[in-house]
Structures are given as C-alpha cells and as structure tokens.
Amino acid sequence: MTADNIIYYTNEGFNKEILDFRDELSRLSHNKQYCVFPGFCDVHVHFREPGFSYKETIRTGSLAAARGGYTDVCTMPNLNPVPDCARNLKIQKDIIETDAMINIYPYGAISVGEKGERLADLEGMAKDAVAFSDDGKGIQSKEMMREAMVRAKRLGKIIVAHCEDNSLLRGGYIHEGEYAMLHNHKGICSESEWMPLQRDIELAKETGCKYHVCHISCKESVELIRKAKTDGVDITCETAPHYLILTDSDLIDDGNYKMNPPLRSEEDRVALIDGIKDGTVDMISTDHAPHSAQEKSKGLEKSAFGIVGLETAFPLLYTEFVRKNIITVEKLLELMCINPRKRFDIPFGNSFTVWDLNKEYQISSKDFLSMGKATPFENRKVFGKCILTAVNGKKVYNSNN
C-alpha cells in the first residue's frame, strides 16, 4: 500500500503497528519516495563476543545489522567459551540482554568446544538456543551427526550444518579453479562441500531431523538440495550475496576476497541464481564474519577467512538482481525476511526498516558501524540507502543521526 511518498510492503506476518510511525515517515520522505519493509532476518552472523571482542561485539554487530535493515539475527557459536552447555550459553545471552540493539538469537554448538569429539549438551541448551551448529567446522563423523540429528529431532530443533570434509581441503584457501592454477594458489575443491552434504541428506532422511545447510557455494550442492526436497527431506539452505555476485575470476591477492567456502566459478554462480528462482535456495544470509585489519592484511594465503556483509547485503542484492529484473523486490524480501523467519520460528514483531531505493552511492568500509571492514565490494556503486530501522517499536538506526 502507499501513503504520501511511502510504499509499504505488507507481506505475510508484517505488523501493521508500523503505521504508528506514519507521521514521522511522511516527514522523512518529503519530496522523496521511501519504501518500508519488514525488518530483515539473518540466520548466520558472527558477532565474536564473548571471546573475540577485538573483532566485533554484540553492540557493534547489532548496530551494523540495524544500519543494514536487519532487526533479527542468529549468532554462530564459534566463541570463547563455546556455547556448548547452558552455563556457557548464558554468558552470551547476558551480554545480549545488556548490549544488543536488535533481536539476537544465539546458536548452541553441536559438539563440545566445536571439536567434533563429543556431543554438546543439546538438551540443556534447547530452551535458549535457536538451533544447533558447529559453524566454521564440519562434523567429520557420520555417527556423531546421526546422533546429533536424533537428539535434535527429539527436541524439535534444527541442525544447521557447515558442510566441509577436512580430508579434502589439502591446505587450500581459494577455489580450486583457473585463478588458483594460474597464480599458484592452493585450491579448495567443491567436493569438500557437496560430499558431506550428500551424507547429511541421507541422515536427515533417515532420522526425520530438520536440517539446514549453511552458505552453499557450488552447483552440486544446489542439485543435491533440489533432489532432497523432491524426495521429501526436511531441508532448507542459504547462500550469501558474494556467491551470487562474484566468482573466482574476480579474485585478486587481497584478504578482502577470502572467505569459506571460497568464491567459485561462473557455472556455480549461475546454478545458485537458478536455485533462488526455483525455490531450491530458501534464504540469503550474510555470514557476516568480522576480523581485525591485521588479520585481513596478509593476502589470500595467510589472511583469516571471512568478510563482513550486514551493511551491504540489501543494496548489493537490490542493485544486482531487482533493478536488473532477475527477481522482484517481493522475492528478495522472501529470501531476506520471510523465509528465514518461517524456518527458524522468528517472529516479525513491530520491527521494520525504511529505504530510499533511488539513492545511488559507492560502498565505503569507512562508513561501516561494524568493527570489521573487510569487503570485496569496496567502492562498488549500488542503489538503496537505509534511512531508518526500528526494532520492537523503537528506533535503533537513523541515517540522519
């Protein structure tokens, strides 16, 4: 619906209490057309606290999320202490309660210390964990993954998998493709992702567990998930903006281009886009993974894996896919807002974000509210600027402030 110069996207579950802000939004949109969306939801972010607050904190991560239009995120458990029991999970939840500017739902780990040796206390964390994951590390043992799925099924929880077979990595750090060959870099093969995924699909079929796949990057993963859905497996998946926009042909020897899984081939990128169009890929998450400048300054080989993405995701996707008529803005909202909430049972609440979709500018990491500045999209021209984000009826970001 429209009011004055404002377009409201009232998708399923969108809280009409947003209209309480109608007068203020009308003032903001004077002589401009703004769009109001339900708050975005990212089920895969790293806020690094507790344990690594020199990279990011709950507060800075949530401010970055709000600047990107996100009102709800799920934080991964590669922390110190690892949230592998109720006591350790409470440490993170106490910080969230004090410092979070948005709604944050923490994961519990699948294994103790994310070491893949013993299962974590899934039962003890079930009340407070949004789901269970060892993100950053793949579960190498088939038997352990089966038992984790059995217990998660009993608890009504989702297993969220980082699919990576360590035996196939062979010291690689970028995609095993043409760039790696031409520049004498060690590559990561696609098999390291899709082979453990293939294993897990069989286990999910066997156990009936709800199963979600993190950051898929290759065409084989898309096809496996497409078939699994046809076979009735309770499976969903995500990819990230960088896998949809960039390939290994865009690489330079710069740590800002290093992430895990790596940027893959054009064929893989096209397969991911096809997966989005036909519903195989359910959602887009950022895998927001901040590191210090020093950790990202050592080139492709020695820099830490991971880039930030919360503040650039919507402008990039809107520019590259909506404005180019590849998908509609309604489809983008499904991927960034509606589907993540449905799968992870995250309510909409009275949360929304306001955007000037006609604003063109260049991405600058100097403007980021995240402590992490690593992005392969520096200086890229995009459309779409976040004007305001409100969470539970309270403004948490205003571009004029």
Side-chain angles (χ1 to χ4, degrees), residues 163 191 193-204 211 220-221 224:
C163 290
E191 287 86 352
E193 174 180 309
W194 67 258
M195 288 183 68
L197 169 59
Q198 188 175 48
R199 177 203 72 181
D200 286 358
I201 287 172
E202 291 304 314
L203 292 175
Y211 179 69
E220 293 89 351
S221 293
L224 283 168

Side-chain angles (χ1 to χ4, degrees), residues 79-148:
L79 303 167
N80 186 17
V82 172
D84 53 15
C85 62
R87 182 176 66 178
N88 287 354
L89 183 58
K90 186 177 186 301
I91 294 172
Q92 184 186 8
K93 285 186 69 69
D94 286 346
I95 301 171
I96 290 170
E97 185 174 344
T98 302
D99 293 348
M101 306 297 291
I102 63 170
N103 299 316
I104 297 178
Y105 303 85
Y107 282 95
I110 294 174
S111 68
V112 175
E114 283 199 323
K115 294 180 179 179
E117 298 170 354
R118 293 183 293 123
L119 282 180
D121 181 13
L122 307 188
E123 288 77 12
M125 295 186 290
K127 178 173 66 73
D128 293 321
V130 66
F132 300 118
S133 179
D134 266 13
D135 184 61
K137 299 178 181 179
I139 297 291
Q140 304 302 303
S141 165
K142 179 178 180 179
E143 291 71 25
M144 175 174 284
M145 181 58 92
R146 178 187 287 110
E147 180 59 25

Side-chain angles (χ1 to χ4, degrees), residues 11 13 54 101 103 126 135 158 199 208 210 217 229 232 283 286 339 346 353 355 370 381:
N11 290 283
Y54 71 93
M101 306 297 291
N103 299 316
D135 184 61
I158 305 173
R199 177 203 72 181
K210 296 179 181 178
S217 67
K229 289 187 173 187
M283 59 196 80
T286 64
N339 291 349
I346 295 172
T353 182
W355 288 76
S370 171
K381 287 186 178 180

Side-chain angles (χ1 to χ4, degrees), residues 269-285:
R269 188 183 78 89
V270 169
L272 290 169
I273 294 170
D274 288 343
I276 280 174
K277 288 180 176 180
D278 70 14
T280 300
V281 178
D282 302 271
M283 59 196 80
I284 299 175
S285 298

